[in-house]
Amino acid sequence: MDKSSTRRTALVTGASYGVGAATALALAREGYAVAVSARRAENLNDTVTKLAAVGARAVPLVLDLNSQASIEQAMAEVVVAFGHLDLLVNNAGANLRKLALDVSWSDWEAVMATNLRGTFFLTQQMGRHLIALGRPGAIVNIASTHGLVGAAERSTYGISKGALIQMTRMLAVEWAEHSIRVNAIAPGRLDTASPTRAARTGDPAYMEAMRARIPLERFATVEEVAATVCYLASPRAASITGQVLVLDGGLTAA
């Protein structure tokens, strides 16, 4: 049998740091060949180096979720490299912290273009690929607790993640007959550095106040999110589709 037809393969978007990089590495350790994407190729150097260190086959891709042509090109490159794709992890996203009254048209468009429109059309490419080959597959969307509960200054971002969660449910139902499972993970605040949140995560008083609100009194880690992706992609989750797994230490349950 052709090894390319049996090797497990994955595409992780937004894999230059944080959840995306950790997920790519976790999947590689599970035996996946992994394609990783970012808007700029040089941003993937560290991730690709780490993947090579664990002996994984890694394919770096330039992907702009604001461009349909870029989306189609990235999927074509993955198929050429691997022959097929088993798992898509939609992690790339745009963040925004701004009062609803101050959100501009361009702010809204920038967030929705990446978090929703681009993610939908990349997922559509994945669905078409799997259905054409008659292969089962899995899609994991990285959402957020901001898509589940309200929060000041997070309206646009939260709306985009709420829509991503509903997209998860819709596609899970529509593609179930093709054995394509679609799930989402909604992390709360993570115990990791982020270029978009550096000012706040670098403030010990702020971080302690945030931690005190969480029943388990701890932040989830990127490695925990990555492990959840691996679980949802595995045969152990064969009956799980259309679901949202929340990693927030009990905050949304309190």
Side-chain angles (χ1 to χ4, degrees):
M1 181 179 292
D2 181 2
K3 289 184 179 180
S4 67
S5 67
T6 58
R7 181 195 303 118
R8 292 181 297 172
T9 60
L11 166 59
V12 182
T13 69
S16 57
Y17 67 93
V19 169
T23 297
L25 190 58
L27 289 168
R29 287 171 172 155
E30 294 265 337
Y32 281 81
V34 186
V36 290
S37 77
R39 294 187 69 173
R40 291 186 292 275
E42 61 269 22
N43 291 349
L44 292 167
N45 291 342
D46 185 56
T47 301
V48 170
T49 298
K50 290 177 180 177
L51 291 170
V54 298
R57 183 181 180 192
V59 175
L61 301 170
V62 174
L63 171 60
D64 180 2
L65 287 172
N66 293 310
S67 164
Q68 185 174 3
S70 180
I71 289 168
E72 293 174 356
Q73 178 64 29
M75 180 61 72
E77 290 179 17
V78 172
V79 173
V80 168
F82 294 156
H84 69 277
L85 187 60
D86 297 306
L87 169 65
L88 170 63
V89 182
N90 284 313
N91 172 68
N95 207 340
L96 181 68
R97 179 181 290 275
K98 185 176 282 191
L99 291 169
L101 295 178
D102 296 331
V103 173
S104 68
W105 188 283
S106 60
D107 288 334
W108 175 275
E109 288 294 312
V111 173
M112 295 299 170
T114 297
N115 294 4
L116 190 56
R117 184 183 67 196
T119 297
F120 173 84
F121 283 103
L122 178 60
T123 305
Q124 180 190 70
Q125 289 288 312
M126 176 63 163
R128 288 174 173 173
H129 168 72
L130 292 171
I131 292 168
L133 293 181
R135 293 181 67 95
I139 297 161
V140 180
N141 297 319
I142 306 301
S144 167
T145 52
H146 287 300
L148 298 170
V149 298
E153 299 185 335
R154 306 312 297 271
S155 61
T156 306
Y157 177 76
I159 291 166
S160 74
K161 292 299 185 177
L164 180 61
I165 288 170
Q166 186 63 4
M167 185 187 96
T168 298
R169 298 184 180 114
M170 291 292 191
L171 298 183
V173 172
E174 187 169 318
W175 292 347
E177 65 178 295
H178 302 290
S179 298
I180 300 171
R181 296 184 301 104
V182 189
N183 290 291
I185 299 170
R189 182 170 293 278
L190 296 174
D191 188 13
T192 183
S194 167
T196 61
R197 298 193 298 267
R200 290 179 179 267
T201 56
D203 181 349
Y206 172 81
M207 294 299 287
E208 186 56 37
M210 291 297 297
R211 186 180 290 107
R213 297 172 54 212
I214 301 172
L216 286 179
E217 296 185 356
R218 66 183 299 275
F219 300 126
T221 67
V222 293
E223 290 78 16
E224 289 167 352
V225 178
T228 307
V229 172
C230 291
Y231 167 67
L232 288 173
S234 76
R236 292 168 293 171
S239 291
I240 301 177
T241 195
Q243 302 304 309
V244 183
L245 295 189
V246 181
L247 278 65
D248 68 349
L251 181 61
T252 55

